Amino acid sequence: MEGVLYKWTNYISGWQPRWFVLEGGTLSYYDSQEDAWKGCKGSIKISVCEIQVHPSDFTRVDLIIPGEQYFYLRAINAAERQKWLVALGTAKACLTDNRTKREKELQENTDALKTKMSELRLYCDLLLQQVNKIQESSQVEMAADSGEVGDETGNLVKSTCTTFLKTLEECMQIASQTFSPDLLSRTPPGSPPVATIKPHKLSFPALFCLGSGLMEDQREPMEPRNGSTSSTQDPEESGGEEKDIPIQKKQEEVSVSPTQNKEEKVTEEIQADLEENEPQSENKQEEEDKVDTFFSTMSHRFSDIILEDDSGIPTQAFLDSCYAIVPVLDKLGPTVFAPVKMDFVGNIKVSVNQKVVSDPESFPTLQSIVLHEVETEVTQVRNSATEALLWLKRGLKFLKEFLSEINTGIKDVQGALNKAYGKTLRQYHGWVVRGVFALALRAAPSYEGFMAALVSHEGDELKEGFTTSMHRDLDVYLPAMEKQLSILDALYEEYGLESDEIV
């Protein structure tokens, strides 16, 4: 892309028109289009710079390499700036690859390993077929040439085995190059977690009961009354003393009865004590299993906003919650999602927040802002608070749909983003913006990488209770977010403020 942009030079000359050319990931500028043959006066590499939109000037865009280079630019109008933002964002998305060299090698080796494993499965199937063929031929009497058929089948099996072993050896070589010893010793992903067995505290009576039970088990069996050394007798040997057995059993029951009653009483007391402490143990276990996530540690949340009957959505609380959700875009990719983030933040800062700052007491709720602009007939004016809030709620719907997909258990981040985009923003975007989003999708992180970015403390994503905590937090956060978006949808529908305009 190329065209005229105004560049800030100094406090004496101010803003001066320059001819800018974006090519090969580098933005260069010249005194004018006619003087381009003289060579550029300066350039900046897009892949390493930050793209920032000005909070109040709708024509300005800043390109910054912190501590090194600063380009302060102005477009002719807001529409022209938007074209440059799309072009710059596209160039940045194409040039930026967040993967390290090690990650690229790991991906390539993983793909090669998958290919070899599919070959192994093929050779394994061939071996099974050939072995079955040998077994069938051995069970049936063959003709005179049966020996030749057997030799041929044996050679096939030998050849397949050789290929199988060679492929297996190649798999081992790829695995040894790809994975370090510490990775091999880790628990494979998807392995069931080993439950921690916590010892129960036993009181003295409980130990006494266990001890008495152990002593009873270790006692020698009572000697039969007939003087035999064995506790088991042949009925014929017991003879006439068989009648004495019930009397003996009765005497034993009488003698043991007081001890049993005492032990049963102690056991009941222990059971009652365990039942009483069980809720406390469960609560303590839940506290130990709970892991802090991004959504439980946010400074402001939609779920914290209190909605009173017919009072509207509190403006400042809503805007604070919008600011708090912005880091999710950074976690998806701070570079490739930069244009989306800039548009999102711009709608909050430039229009809605600016309206509130102008007269905070007059706009305590979002409804009061929209109704004021409806009464003054400025809802259709470019960059009005009503228009900014319209795009803000569309962006929030996109994030809500994406997080809802993740919360259902989908682990394909790129697929979840694409599905959420199709449901929400795609219908309002032209082919240029759709192309930018398609490029951003290619650089979307893996599910594991995205989850690791949503922890409060490094390594928490490996804890057993992290997934449960994430679902629990989203189950609270997302319904509250959806409720407030539904209220705004009803407001815009009531006053006919929805727009089908494509950008």
Side-chain angles (χ1 to χ4, degrees):
M1 182 173 178
E2 57 186 30
V4 175
L5 289 173
Y6 287 83
K7 183 178 182 295
W8 176 260
T9 54
N10 51 55
Y11 283 98
I12 298 175
S13 301
W15 297 93
Q16 295 293 325
R18 296 287 184 263
W19 181 257
F20 280 83
V21 176
L22 176 61
E23 185 178 5
T26 302
L27 182 67
S28 308
Y29 72 93
Y30 309 83
D31 283 332
S32 64
Q33 185 177 9
E34 293 75 19
D35 294 332
W37 62 274
K38 296 180 180 179
C40 72
K41 300 192 68 176
S43 62
I44 188 169
K45 193 174 182 180
I46 300 301
S47 62
V48 295
C49 75
E50 297 177 3
I51 306 173
Q52 298 180 358
V53 292
H54 198 271
S56 58
D57 189 344
F58 305 134
T59 63
R60 181 171 163 181
V61 58
D62 299 339
L63 306 179
I64 300 172
I65 301 177
E68 294 184 18
Q69 206 171 4
Y70 303 84
F71 274 24
Y72 302 115
L73 309 175
R74 270 182 178 171
I76 299 173
N77 51 45
E80 189 70 8
R81 184 190 73 166
Q82 186 64 29
K83 292 180 181 179
W84 277 102
L85 282 176
V86 171
L88 292 169
T90 304
K92 196 172 183 66
C94 292
L95 293 171
T96 304
D97 190 348
N98 291 325
R99 296 184 303 168
T100 63
K101 183 180 178 181
R102 174 61 179 164
E103 288 172 338
K104 292 177 182 177
E105 292 177 352
L106 184 63
Q107 182 64 40
E108 292 172 359
N109 289 337
T110 302
D111 294 340
L113 190 59
K114 288 180 180 178
T115 302
K116 290 298 178 182
M117 290 300 292
S118 63
E119 291 179 11
L120 280 177
R121 282 191 289 271
L122 174 63
Y123 296 140
C124 186
D125 292 339
L126 286 174
L127 277 174
L128 289 174
Q129 292 175 5
Q130 292 167 4
V131 169
N132 289 334
K133 186 176 180 181
I134 291 175
Q135 290 177 342
E136 291 173 0
S137 63
S138 63
Q139 293 173 359
V140 180
E141 292 184 0
M142 304 296 293
D145 59 341
S146 61
E148 296 179 1
V149 174
D151 292 341
E152 183 181 352
T153 306
N155 291 333
L156 284 174
V157 173
K158 183 178 179 181
S159 176
T160 307
C161 286
T162 303
T163 309
F164 181 88
L165 292 174
K166 183 179 179 181
T167 307
L168 184 60
E169 184 180 357
E170 291 174 354
C171 285
M172 295 302 296
Q173 290 175 354
I174 295 173
S176 62
Q177 293 172 0
T178 305
F179 305 107
S180 57
D182 59 323
L183 288 176
L184 294 174
S185 62
R186 293 181 184 176
T187 305
S191 300
V194 180
T196 304
I197 302 175
K198 297 190 175 182
H200 294 284
K201 293 183 179 179
L202 297 176
S203 59
F204 177 75
L207 291 172
F208 171 76
C209 289
L210 290 174
S212 62
L214 182 61
M215 290 169 64
E216 288 177 358
D217 290 339
Q218 290 178 344
R219 289 174 187 161
E220 293 181 2
M222 186 178 292
E223 185 176 341
R225 291 181 60 188
N226 63 356
S228 173
T229 58
S230 175
S231 60
T232 56
Q233 297 183 13
D234 192 320
E236 293 181 359
E237 293 180 1
S238 61
E241 293 186 14
E242 186 175 355
K243 295 179 181 179
D244 294 336
I245 295 176
I247 299 174
Q248 179 183 348
K249 286 185 178 179
K250 186 174 182 180
Q251 290 175 350
E252 289 176 1
E253 289 174 2
V254 172
S255 61
V256 176
S257 180
T259 306
Q260 287 180 340
N261 290 337
K262 185 176 180 180
E263 291 178 359
E264 288 175 1
K265 184 177 179 181
V266 173
T267 304
E268 290 176 359
E269 292 176 357
I270 294 171
Q271 185 67 26
D273 182 58
L274 288 174
E275 290 176 356
E276 182 180 352
N277 293 330
E278 187 174 358
Q280 299 178 3
S281 300
E282 290 178 355
N283 293 335
K284 186 176 181 181
Q285 180 66 30
E286 288 180 2
E287 291 177 1
E288 291 177 354
D289 291 342
K290 187 175 181 181
V291 180
D292 287 335
T293 69
F294 171 79
F295 298 98
S296 64
T297 56
M298 295 171 73
S299 57
H300 299 86
R301 293 176 290 186
F302 293 103
S303 53
D304 294 335
I305 298 177
I306 300 175
L307 299 176
E308 299 179 0
D309 295 339
D310 301 326
S311 62
I313 302 174
T315 303
Q316 196 57 52
F318 183 84
L319 294 181
D320 289 340
S321 299
C322 290
Y323 278 123
I325 194 65
V326 169
V328 172
L329 293 171
D330 291 329
K331 299 177 190 304
L332 287 170
T335 303
V336 295
F337 278 88
V340 180
K341 177 184 174 182
M342 287 188 294
D343 187 50
F344 192 90
V345 175
N347 288 323
I348 303 173
K349 284 185 178 180
V350 177
S351 301
V352 183
N353 195 54
Q354 196 172 22
K355 189 83 172 179
V356 177
V357 172
S358 65
D359 192 355
E361 295 181 359
S362 300
F363 307 115
T365 65
L366 297 178
Q367 286 87 336
S368 62
I369 295 175
V370 175
L371 292 176
H372 176 266
E373 294 196 344
V374 169
E375 293 171 0
T376 56
E377 298 182 351
V378 295
T379 57
Q380 302 300 323
V381 176
R382 176 67 66 182
N383 296 321
S384 65
T386 303
E387 183 189 39
L389 188 58
L390 173 66
W391 281 103
L392 180 59
K393 74 182 182 73
R394 287 173 178 173
L396 289 172
K397 283 184 178 179
F398 164 68
L399 287 175
K400 183 193 74 67
E401 288 293 336
F402 165 65
L403 293 173
S404 297
E405 291 290 323
I406 295 297
N407 197 34
T408 58
I410 293 177
K411 295 188 176 183
D412 180 8
V413 174
Q414 184 174 338
L417 284 169
N418 195 31
K419 189 173 182 180
Y421 180 71
K423 286 183 177 180
T424 56
L425 295 173
R426 192 177 189 277
Q427 58 185 316
Y428 306 111
H429 287 168
W431 65 271
V432 175
V433 181
R434 290 181 185 180
V436 173
F437 190 85
L439 289 171
L441 278 184
R442 295 181 183 179
S446 64
Y447 177 81
E448 292 75 14
F450 181 58
M451 287 294 106
L454 293 178
V455 298
S456 297
H457 306 286
E458 187 177 355
D460 278 358
E461 74 277 8
L462 302 176
K463 292 184 178 179
E464 185 176 348
F466 173 74
T467 303
T468 304
S469 298
M470 179 64 71
H471 289 311
R472 181 168 52 234
D473 294 339
L474 286 175
D475 287 341
V476 174
Y477 184 84
L478 292 176
M481 187 180 185
E482 183 176 12
K483 181 179 181 181
Q484 292 165 51
L485 291 174
S486 298
I487 293 173
L488 289 177
D489 283 340
L491 175 67
Y492 273 68
E493 186 175 351
E494 181 180 354
Y495 291 95
L497 301 174
E498 289 288 349
S499 172
D500 296 330
E501 182 183 2
I502 296 177
V503 296

